[in-house]
Amino acid sequence: MPPSAACFQEEHCRGRLPVIDYKYSSVWFMFMKFTCLSKGGGSHFPPCHILDVCGFRVLLECPLDLSALAIFAPFLNDRHSIVPEETSDYATHKSLDAEYVAQKRQKVEKPLDANDLIHAEPWYKTVNNLHLWNVSFIDVVLISSPMGMVGLPFLTRMKGFSAKIYVTEATARLGQLMMEDLVSMHMEYKQYYGSEGSSDPQWMKWQEIELLPSSLRKIACGEDGAELGGWMPLYSAADVKDCLTKVQTVRYTEEACYNGELIIKAFSSGSEIGACNWIINGPKGNIAYVSGSIFASDHAMNFDYSALQGRDLILYSDFFSLDTTEEMDESAFSDDNDKWEALTKSLRRGDENLEEREKLAFICSCAIDSVKAGGSVLIPINGLGVVLQFLEQISMFLESSSLQVPIYIISSVAEELLAYTSIIPEWLCDKRQEKLFSGEPLFAHVELLKAKKIQVFPAVHSPKLLTNWQEPCIVFSPHWSLRLGPAMHLLRRWCGDQNSLLVLEDKVDANIALLPFKPMSMKVLQCSFIPGIKLQKVQLMLKALQPKFVLFPEELRSHFITSNINSFSVSHYSENETVCIPSLKESVEVEIEANLGSQFQWRISKHKNLNITRLKGELLVAHNKHQLLSRKELAGSSKNMSLLHWGSPDPENLLAALSKMGINGNLERSMSDAESGEAFIVHIKDPKRATIEVGAAGTVISAADENLASQVFEALGSILDGI
């Protein structure tokens, strides 16, 4: 072990350390290992990573790929809309028909139709690479957004899982409602298909997968065909409840200490109510984990990027930046941008918010046009903040147009969700918080509900909804995949109406999502909302934050002018590859109790200009601080401790030291290490026989005479460093 720095060897038992011998040794070790398990697929499916820091394994996010539900045929009240009438009775079992299978094997690839979809109870696609890790070795789980939480019950119900889960209070509540709604919507399939007869459904058999069209097979199995193992049946309401009991909630900037060594804090990311970025402080450095973020939000608390300033490592995981096609401007690194005030002003410009409001206004104008023409509008948008802003804008447009059109919100959790957003001002942007102090509601839906301009119902078949139903109307309802919930039934109702409008997010593959509803006369408007930090602002942000090291997705490599980045090092990561980051600190600070000073017995290293001493005490680690405390023991025991030596003795120096003691020996070089000179044997014949075997792993003294062995040990000690 090289004696190049000061540290200690310890019997490590995670957070609590036993009484140990304090030794001078090396601080050389790896600071962090990082593995990207999945780069995700937009805000609906955030990235997922494993971080190994200071001996602790941290899972970042636990999402589901709900877009993969598109391969399943929706359960509709009108089943004839999916398949011809004469085959509808056997639609769910058609893949088992031998004649049908033979035809499928013979035919060439043709355009997709609804018959190509899987007619079975949907399973859910988890992060497949996560299943390759032993969950019992995961120590901490950090969740940054509600969508990063929806896969958590799959993890918490696994045998051996015992990790500490950290999530903000708002994300925990919104994630809970989202998971409960998912279970409720899935129940419709349960009631129709009944319980599966075996653990693996028929459609998952490889011979069935091979019959799928290539586009559906790619969704089911991934690019390399390895993702089929990630599909799982949905968890239950009891699983969700059990999962939440294992969650520890935090507020923004609140410290959470894991096992005395890791200090974890959440800071607002601006992308959604309760969404956050994480900072992890450990004994060998600190890490800022940046998820999908927005600098200035119209609903959530703004991105607290100043909290990330001066960090050792920024782990950049905002893949949403790839949705923008802008090229980087070299002026972002000019000397004019050196001042923090100028940089922050540039970062806080509300260009994205203006663009977002204009986009919402355009969608609302299209909705009004459809309503005027006698059509209805279906909006299965997922983002809570976007929905709340939609409600505000659409109500103003209706009022200015003098239209009396009902707005329905249909969801099993809608009532709880809207009530919750009215009592969480601390999680909202400054503009919303000011409304609280002026006596106004945080969001417009509060007044709209009182005026009955918005009506909330738990299900599409709710008796009260059927009683109050009017068309044309505007409906907000899940699910954006068009495979679950009220949206798929309402779309079936209106898909043939050329005056009606469907609003989809651009991440939805409309070609596959709309297959069961073709032919489509209904107008479809696909739109994108703020996906994350624009590339131009990423450069400015990093210049302002001045980290030591930045870890970027490989996909962003071509977008950055790395030649102009001089203040920090940059590395890139790819999916399912491990990146190692060396320690960013040269030492660990230890507080030593004052009365241990009497034990100091300094020695000067022979090979390095270092003073070294050896201590014995009890090492305590708490709240990321190391303390060495004295312990009761026999007086003078520290003075009687035998010396600890390191290094390899020089053979010539050893023979000289032995000769001074009147001991004569012959040198024999080891054949295997003759060139390196590290291994050799000294044969002693006078005054008595003995051997000294020196190898890479250590030195062995063999002597029948105890006094001679002591003399040889003393000779070795005289030419080696020791404490």
Side-chain angles (χ1 to χ4, degrees):
M1 190 174 291
S4 57
C7 178
F8 44 85
Q9 292 180 321
E10 57 188 57
E11 300 171 26
H12 189 64
C13 61
R14 294 232 172 150
R16 291 190 62 188
L17 296 177
V19 175
I20 61 170
D21 286 344
Y22 188 90
K23 304 172 184 178
Y24 191 98
S25 69
S26 169
V27 294
W28 178 86
F29 60 84
M30 195 61 62
F31 167 51
M32 186 197 83
K33 291 182 180 179
F34 173 80
T35 306
C36 174
L37 303 181
S38 168
K39 61 183 181 182
S43 57
H44 296 144
F45 181 36
C48 177
H49 313 288
I50 284 279
L51 180 67
D52 198 326
V53 56
C54 299
F56 299 103
R57 189 164 288 169
V58 180
L59 175 65
L60 301 168
E61 320 297 357
C62 191
L64 289 181
D65 184 4
L66 294 176
S67 66
L69 288 172
I71 67 174
F72 294 96
F75 163 71
L76 301 172
N77 292 327
D78 182 4
R79 282 176 287 150
H80 305 302
S81 64
I82 302 177
V83 294
E85 183 175 355
E86 61 271 17
T87 64
S88 61
D89 290 341
Y90 303 97
T92 60
H93 306 287
K94 65 181 181 180
S95 62
L96 304 179
D97 186 84
E99 182 180 352
Y100 177 80
V101 170
Q103 292 174 357
K104 291 269 284 188
R105 289 188 187 280
Q106 294 172 7
K107 69 179 182 180
V108 296
E109 193 83 10
K110 64 176 182 63
L112 286 172
D113 61 38
N115 289 331
D116 293 317
L117 299 176
I118 297 171
H119 293 70
E121 178 186 343
W123 277 33
Y124 293 77
K125 192 175 183 182
T126 62
V127 177
N128 185 61
N129 289 330
L130 181 55
H131 295 277
L132 304 178
W133 295 72
N134 188 332
V135 298
S136 64
F137 293 158
I138 298 175
D139 300 296
V140 177
V141 180
L142 299 181
I143 303 296
S144 302
S145 67
M147 289 307 297
M149 187 176 176
V150 291
L152 204 52
F154 286 119
L155 192 66
T156 56
R157 71 182 184 184
M158 287 185 179
K159 185 178 180 180
F161 178 84
S162 60
K164 194 78 172 180
I165 304 168
Y166 295 101
V167 60
T168 65
E169 291 178 3
T171 291
R173 181 57 177 153
L174 297 178
Q176 176 187 359
L177 293 174
M178 196 174 291
M179 292 185 289
E180 289 174 351
D181 197 31
L182 190 61
V183 171
S184 175
M185 290 185 290
H186 182 83
M187 190 57 64
E188 199 169 18
Y189 283 96
K190 282 272 189 191
Q191 293 169 348
Y192 179 65
Y193 286 107
S195 300
E196 290 285 348
S198 63
S199 57
D200 293 327
Q202 180 70 23
W203 68 267
M204 285 189 71
K205 294 183 178 179
W206 192 250
Q207 59 267 33
E208 294 293 326
I209 293 293
E210 287 182 322
L211 299 178
L212 290 175
S214 59
S215 56
L216 300 183
R217 190 166 59 248
K218 181 180 176 182
I219 296 173
C221 303
E223 294 277 0
D224 54 3
E227 296 180 8
L228 190 61
W231 290 89
M232 301 182 73
L234 187 63
Y235 42 73
S236 65
D239 291 329
V240 175
K241 186 176 180 180
D242 179 65
C243 168
L244 293 168
T245 63
K246 300 174 182 178
V247 167
Q248 178 175 330
T249 60
V250 296
R251 293 177 174 270
Y252 289 147
T253 73
E254 178 186 348
E255 283 190 357
C257 182
Y258 179 76
N259 249 10
E261 293 215 37
L262 298 183
I263 305 298
I264 300 169
K265 288 184 183 181
F267 294 89
S268 174
S269 68
S271 61
E272 187 56 274
I273 296 173
C276 69
N277 296 314
W278 294 95
I279 289 179
I280 305 171
N281 287 307
K284 297 302 294 179
N286 54 71
I287 302 167
Y289 170 64
V290 179
S291 59
S293 304
I294 299 173
F295 281 101
S297 171
D298 271 342
H299 63 285
M301 186 177 288
N302 291 342
F303 177 19
D304 186 1
Y305 56 89
S306 61
L308 312 180
Q309 191 176 18
R311 299 296 163 181
D312 293 325
L313 171 66
I314 288 184
L315 176 53
Y316 192 81
S317 183
D318 189 349
F319 281 81
F320 314 137
S321 302
L322 295 169
D323 294 337
T324 60
T325 57
E326 62 185 2
E327 292 299 324
M328 299 313 305
D329 182 4
E330 295 195 20
S331 64
F333 291 91
S334 67
D335 293 337
D336 295 336
N337 288 326
D338 280 341
K339 293 183 179 180
W340 171 262
E341 293 78 9
L343 286 167
T344 53
K345 184 177 180 181
S346 178
L347 291 172
R348 287 174 178 168
R349 279 204 311 260
D351 302 341
E352 295 94 338
N353 280 343
L354 178 60
E355 181 182 334
E356 201 76 357
R357 285 191 288 268
E358 291 175 349
K359 194 181 299 179
L360 287 173
F362 173 75
I363 298 170
C364 290
S365 66
C366 293
I368 296 299
D369 291 341
S370 292
V371 169
K372 286 181 177 179
S376 294
V377 181
L378 177 60
I379 308 175
I381 298 296
N382 180 63
L384 174 61
V386 175
V387 170
L388 295 176
Q389 292 177 75
F390 247 130
L391 290 172
E392 292 180 336
Q393 291 253 20
I394 198 73
S395 60
M396 289 189 293
F397 271 77
L398 287 172
E399 188 174 345
S400 62
S401 303
S402 301
L403 291 172
Q404 299 294 322
V405 177
I407 300 175
Y408 300 118
I409 302 176
I410 308 174
S411 167
S412 63
V413 297
E415 188 171 346
E416 291 178 85
L417 194 59
L418 293 176
Y420 183 70
T421 58
S422 303
I423 59 170
I424 51 169
E426 67 272 25
W427 300 96
L428 305 180
C429 64
D430 293 342
K431 182 179 71 174
R432 300 288 175 181
Q433 292 186 21
E434 289 170 3
K435 287 178 175 288
L436 177 70
F437 296 113
S438 62
E440 300 177 57
L442 299 175
F443 293 97
H445 67 260
V446 176
E447 295 296 333
L448 295 173
L449 284 168
K450 289 180 180 178
K452 295 187 177 180
K453 293 181 179 179
I454 293 177
Q455 300 180 59
V456 179
F457 300 97
V460 73
H461 49 74
S462 170
K464 289 185 178 181
L465 174 60
L466 298 176
T467 302
N468 291 279
W469 184 260
Q470 296 179 39
E471 291 188 27
C473 60
I474 298 171
V475 179
F476 292 84
S477 70
H479 188 261
W480 55 267
S481 67
L482 305 183
R483 295 297 183 266
L484 296 168
M488 63 180 181
H489 298 297
L490 294 172
L491 181 55
R492 178 67 191 96
R493 179 180 181 88
W494 293 326
C495 63
D497 183 2
Q498 62 181 359
N499 294 322
S500 291
L501 174 67
L502 171 65
V503 179
L504 287 178
E505 294 190 53
D506 66 342
K507 285 295 180 183
V508 178
D509 186 336
N511 183 43
I512 297 177
L514 297 176
L515 275 180
F517 309 99
K518 291 182 177 180
M520 281 278 294
S521 300
M522 189 180 190
K523 295 188 290 291
V524 179
L525 177 60
Q526 277 196 279
C527 53
S528 63
F529 300 97
I530 298 178
I533 306 173
K534 288 189 174 182
L535 290 176
Q536 181 69 49
K537 288 194 173 183
V538 174
Q539 297 273 45
L540 286 172
M541 178 186 72
L542 294 177
K543 185 173 181 65
L545 299 182
Q546 293 293 304
K548 294 178 182 177
F549 202 97
V550 179
L551 200 55
F552 274 125
E554 180 63 38
E555 289 79 358
L556 290 180
R557 183 190 292 269
S558 60
H559 295 278
F560 284 86
I561 312 166
T562 54
S563 60
N564 286 338
I565 301 178
N566 298 318
S567 60
F568 53 86
S569 301
V570 176
S571 188
H572 299 84
Y573 62 87
S574 300
E575 194 173 274
N576 210 26
E577 291 184 3
T578 298
V579 178
C580 296
I581 306 296
S583 176
L584 301 176
K585 284 186 178 180
E586 295 182 354
S587 61
V588 175
E589 292 183 0
V590 181
E591 295 179 5
I592 301 176
E593 197 172 86
N595 59 9
L596 285 176
S598 61
Q599 299 181 20
F600 289 173
Q601 298 178 37
W602 295 103
R603 294 174 63 92
I604 300 176
S605 170
K606 293 179 172 60
H607 304 291
K608 298 286 183 179
N609 186 24
L610 293 174
N611 289 330
I612 309 171
T613 189
R614 181 181 177 191
L615 296 174
K616 182 179 287 186
E618 184 174 3
L619 181 66
L620 298 181
V621 181
H623 217 65
N624 198 21
K625 291 183 178 180
H626 297 71
Q627 293 178 308
L628 188 65
L629 307 178
S630 61
R631 64 176 184 178
K632 292 182 180 180
E633 54 186 28
L634 294 176
S637 61
S638 61
K639 296 181 181 180
N640 297 327
M641 291 187 292
S642 60
L643 288 177
L644 299 175
H645 297 97
W646 64 84
S648 180
D650 179 79
E652 302 301 331
N653 291 342
L654 177 57
L655 290 174
L658 291 170
S659 179
K660 288 180 181 180
M661 295 180 175
I663 302 172
N664 298 318
N666 299 321
L667 179 65
E668 177 189 335
R669 295 282 186 181
S670 173
M671 297 300 293
S672 59
D673 293 318
E675 294 184 1
S676 65
E678 292 181 358
F680 59 90
I681 301 175
V682 174
H683 297 279
I684 299 174
K685 296 182 180 180
D686 184 34
K688 293 183 179 180
R689 290 184 178 274
T691 59
I692 307 170
E693 298 178 58
V694 178
T699 300
V700 179
I701 303 171
S702 302
D705 186 83
E706 187 176 340
N707 291 330
L708 178 58
S710 297
Q711 286 181 296
V712 172
F713 181 79
E714 186 179 344
L716 281 166
S718 68
I719 63 173
L720 290 174
D721 278 318
I723 54 173

